Amino acid sequence: MRALVITGPGEAAVQDVEPPVAAPGQVIVDIERVGVCGTDLELFTGEMNYLRTGRSWYPLRPGHEWCGQVTALGEGVDRGWLGRRVTGDTMIGCGRCERCRAGRHHVCADLAEIGISRGYAGALAERLAVPATALHALPDQVDTTLGALVEPGGNALRAFHGAGLRPGERLLVLGTGTIGLLVALFARSRGVEVHLMGRDAEGLRLARTLGFTGIWTRPTLPATVWHAVVDASNAAELPALALELVEPARRVVYIGLAGTPSTLDTRDLLLKDVTAVGILGGSAGLADAIKAYADASVDARPLVAATVGLAQTAEVLAGHRPDGAGPGPKIHIDPRL
């Protein structure tokens, strides 16, 4: 089958590889759509921290935001999965340790991440092997575009829940990339007053077309009460700003990752009695993200700027924006093309 393989920093190409065979407990999924994520970009450029710690290595087959159809079953898998449209959890725990048994498999000490770590082949390919325990069925109302947005949607929904907001309260989201906009969409659907801060007016244009009116840059940000702040940016200075801006005794949520270490003064955290929440992975949010897409309370499709074939993936990873792409931050890949 065809699959995208990253062989080193800045080096990626479609190769013919052996197709996966379903091991006991696994299924084979024919992939229909894959989202290109910032993590994929860091794996391609070589900037991903996992490459320095040995958790990831080249050659590497990326892709962890996906959907497709189950076409083969391994031993012990319920035959009801055959033919189902599905997406799946990126985080694959051992299933045996205390963390996994308690539902915290996303922080398992032996965690493997599909298309990211421990050599687990990803979805930027024609087919993917995945444990049946990681699958989530997609209802008919969730098309392929939304299906490949479930994984980032789960992350964003966890970030929103981490903010601890009630309807009518005010949220500030730092960053207008895919995750920031998804946090804003989920928050608005739950009755929260949403504001977004971006780098410049151009970057905030899509947020405005999505119907958000609280659109700011740092110089224009109003002095008001922020009942929660979500940092969904990759700017090293914004974690400290989130803490500075949030209302005392409320919450800041950190889901963005900067390329260099971020610092904040824990004295400010303590003296403001602020709760800081870190979000790793969308596991606990996937099911509810699917429900929100299915009932149309959240429509994330405008975030996808273009869908291209597998052969164009290396160009996308190298920073090329497809001709005719819309304003959204997300590029999708159809491995069938």
Side-chain angles (χ1 to χ4, degrees), residues 50-323:
Y50 285 1
L51 293 165
R52 292 189 290 275
T53 63
R55 190 163 173 168
S56 301
W57 56 83
Y58 299 122
L60 183 147
R61 285 167 47 188
H64 60 278
E65 302 177 1
W66 57 270
C67 68
Q69 184 176 36
V70 177
T71 55
L73 307 177
E75 180 183 347
V77 176
D78 185 341
R79 291 196 60 82
W81 283 113
L82 194 62
R84 298 290 298 275
R85 294 179 59 248
V86 296
T87 186
D89 197 341
T90 299
M91 309 299 210
I92 310 299
C94 71
R96 301 178 303 275
C97 69
E98 180 182 353
R99 294 174 188 174
C100 287
R101 294 197 306 271
R104 299 191 301 275
H105 66 277
H106 64 296
V107 290
C108 172
D110 292 324
L111 179 72
E113 297 158 275
I114 292 176
I116 300 173
S117 68
R118 306 284 178 116
Y120 203 116
L124 280 165
E126 294 177 314
R127 289 182 287 281
L128 172 71
V130 61
T133 53
L135 296 177
H136 288 261
L138 295 177
D140 291 341
Q141 300 94 322
V142 177
D143 62 17
T144 54
T145 301
L146 289 171
L149 285 166
V150 169
E151 196 276 344
N155 278 273
L157 192 50
R158 283 196 66 215
F160 167 67
H161 287 319
L165 292 168
R166 296 181 294 271
E169 292 189 314
R170 188 177 297 116
L171 169 67
L172 176 64
V173 180
L174 306 180
T176 55
T178 299
I179 296 298
L181 291 171
L182 281 168
V183 171
L185 288 169
F186 282 112
R188 183 173 66 183
S189 75
R190 307 300 172 91
V192 168
E193 180 187 329
V194 180
H195 296 251
L196 296 107
M197 191 188 90
R199 285 191 295 265
D200 51 51
E202 181 69 21
L204 290 165
R205 183 174 299 172
L206 178 58
R208 189 169 286 107
T209 66
L210 292 172
F212 294 104
T213 55
I215 307 295
W216 315 102
T217 58
R218 181 66 185 100
T220 65
L221 187 69
T224 188
V225 172
W226 305 111
H227 297 112
V229 180
V230 173
D231 175 21
S233 77
N234 59 4
E237 70 275 11
L238 289 192
L241 179 64
L243 177 57
E244 176 186 332
L245 294 172
V246 74
E247 178 74 357
R250 299 305 295 262
R251 293 188 175 198
V252 291
V253 180
Y254 296 113
I255 190 170
L257 282 174
T260 57
S262 302
T263 59
L264 55 83
D265 192 332
T266 56
R267 293 172 296 184
D268 294 334
L269 188 75
L270 184 154
L271 293 172
K272 291 186 71 173
D273 196 27
V274 165
T275 299
V277 180
I279 300 295
L280 173 68
S283 302
L286 300 177
D288 284 342
I290 292 170
K291 290 178 184 177
Y293 293 164
D295 67 19
S297 59
V298 172
D299 183 4
R301 287 172 292 191
L303 275 60
V304 178
T307 300
V308 299
L310 192 62
Q312 294 172 261
T313 309
E315 295 179 4
V316 172
L317 291 172
H320 174 72
R321 198 162 175 86
D323 294 339

Side-chain angles (χ1 to χ4, degrees), residues 4-13 15 40-48 51 56-62 314 317-318:
L4 183 86
V5 182
I6 302 175
T7 53
E11 299 176 358
Q15 297 182 9
D40 302 318
L41 299 179
E42 290 188 356
L43 290 168
F44 174 73
T45 62
E47 296 171 339
M48 178 66 173
L51 293 165
S56 301
W57 56 83
Y58 299 122
L60 183 147
R61 285 167 47 188
L317 291 172

